[in-house]
Amino acid sequence: MPGSRIAALGHHQPARVLTNDDLATMVDTSDEWIRRRTGIATRRIAAPDESVTDLAAAAAAKALAGAGLDPADIGLVTVATCTAIDRCPSIAAQVAARLGIPAAVAFDLNNGCAGFCTALAVADHSVRAGAARHALVIGAEKMSDVTDWTDRSTCVLLGDGAGAAVLSASDEAGIGPVAWGSDPTRGDAVRLVDEWQPRFAQEGQAVFRWATSELPAVARQACALAGLTPADLGGIVTHQANLRIIEALVRQLDLPEHVVVAQDVVESGNTSAASVPLALSKLVDRGDLPSGAPVLLFAFGGGLSWAGQVVTAP
Ligand code: ACO
């Protein structure tokens, strides 16, 4: 099979909106500080009984309905997440059970914030190899479970949510070759500390410097692998960590004004592996990305790791 394409997308966010002013009643911070340093205005926080599986299944159900497929058509389900409490059965297996997907290979994939783009490449490779005709690729996180709500330097950044894509075998490749890798020597820069009560921790400035100095070259490489330059893109959806990182990447890639830049971090905060599919699905839903447009997906984070590819908007 020459390739796969995104047939449909879906996303889901919890109902509760947590504003910067709400956070200012919990820790010593302000709406002004958070907006100026991160661009974030709000984030969604799941209810205590709302699990990663609930978020993932809701997004996946929308993508499956959008693709007009029968659950039995899906041959592969993968959930990119680093906040799954359940280790076995996997979140993917639980989503398959909820959606009535009878016989797919189902597995979780943890590559931190780069998880969704990594999972998308793995699913694309599986379709190319003939191991599945249709795949469900999901990014889902309940970051609020691993947030230290007394630490103002991290609790203002994180949010919960999920995004999903259905990939279908296609004569025309709609998922470009992946540019991916890791720098394990800097693994301590982003981590979940304390195995029994995990909390998100990072070297914020080091991650910021890495993302803005070393990653633009990788983003260019992902475009080149698809036979494009950044100026040929119709849109760019990077990991939604911080608006200042997104703006710096856009500047360094010299993107012309017509390129649509995802800025979902403003309303959703950093949702780790969910951020790319969540932002992409919202752009498509709003009609901001024309069908057929080449879009660079580019994610990075814990590992340190990165993964990106040019996809064709559904
Ligand atoms: N409100 C008010 N003051 C704060 C807050 C807050 N929420 N948080 C920190 N401060 C204070 C600090 O205490 C410090 O005060 P001091 O100078 O008196 O010591 C001051 O603000 C500056 O702190 P810095 O940490 O230097 O602030 P910086 O400008 O670096 O911004 C930030 C921090 C937003 C975390 C930034 O470093 C960043 O975005 N880094 C990248 C993070 C990232 O992208 N991670 C993604 C990869 S991992 C993943 O996505 C899961």
Side-chain angles (χ1 to χ4, degrees):
M1 182 52 64
S4 72
R5 64 182 172 84
I6 296 178
L9 294 157
H11 63 271
H12 175 77
Q13 290 181 282
R16 182 179 166 212
V17 177
L18 188 70
T19 66
N20 293 342
D21 287 336
D22 293 333
L23 280 161
T25 67
M26 298 157 62
V27 288
D28 182 14
T29 190
S30 66
D31 178 54
E32 192 275 329
W33 192 97
I34 300 169
R35 283 181 194 260
R36 185 160 45 83
R37 302 283 182 125
T38 73
I40 299 169
T42 58
R43 69 287 292 146
R44 300 293 185 101
I45 302 296
D49 62 352
E50 205 172 6
S51 67
V52 175
T53 304
D54 294 330
L55 302 172
K62 289 176 194 164
L64 191 60
L69 292 174
D70 189 87
D73 295 329
I74 300 294
L76 182 153
V77 182
T78 183
V79 178
T81 183
C82 61
T83 51
I85 293 170
D86 300 341
R87 296 189 186 183
C88 190
S90 66
I91 307 301
Q94 295 180 45
V95 168
R98 294 240 191 130
L99 270 50
I101 296 171
V105 61
F107 59 94
D108 294 347
L109 185 152
N110 179 355
N111 194 18
C113 302
F116 178 81
C117 291
T118 309
L120 194 66
V122 170
D124 173 55
H125 299 166
S126 299
V127 173
R128 283 173 187 271
R133 275 196 71 76
H134 303 281
L136 194 44
V137 184
I138 305 158
E141 300 280 17
K142 189 174 178 185
M143 297 304 287
S144 59
D145 266 353
V146 297
T147 300
D148 179 349
W149 292 105
T150 65
D151 176 8
R152 67 178 181 173
S153 68
T154 52
C155 74
V156 301
L157 305 172
L158 307 170
D160 302 333
V166 170
L167 289 199
S168 292
S170 165
D171 289 335
E172 223 168 280
I175 308 287
V178 68
W180 59 8
S182 66
D183 179 355
T185 63
R186 288 191 275 182
D188 277 355
V190 180
R191 59 201 185 282
L192 292 182
V193 293
D194 190 347
E195 185 183 356
W196 298 111
Q197 202 177 355
R199 295 178 315 282
F200 175 84
Q202 68 170 353
E203 311 295 333
Q205 289 194 2
V207 174
F208 192 97
R209 270 196 306 277
W210 167 70
T212 53
S213 65
E214 296 180 38
L215 294 186
V218 186
R220 265 190 226 102
Q221 184 199 0
C223 293
L225 289 170
L228 302 173
T229 69
D232 300 322
L233 295 171
I236 179 168
V237 181
T238 68
H239 172 44
Q240 303 287 297
N242 181 325
L243 193 58
R244 288 163 56 212
I245 293 180
I246 296 170
E247 288 167 349
L249 280 169
V250 164
R251 254 194 323 275
Q252 292 180 50
L253 292 175
D254 245 339
L255 293 177
E257 273 195 10
H258 73 261
V259 179
V260 175
V261 179
Q263 301 193 344
D264 187 49
V265 66
V266 175
E267 58 185 53
S268 302
N270 180 344
T271 58
S272 187
S275 84
V276 166
L278 186 56
L280 177 65
S281 177
K282 284 185 178 180
L283 284 179
V284 169
D285 255 16
R286 289 175 186 156
D288 291 343
L289 275 177
S291 177
V295 183
L296 175 64
L297 308 184
F298 187 57
F300 48 86
L304 294 173
S305 61
W306 58 88
Q309 62 273 89
V310 176
V311 305
T312 305

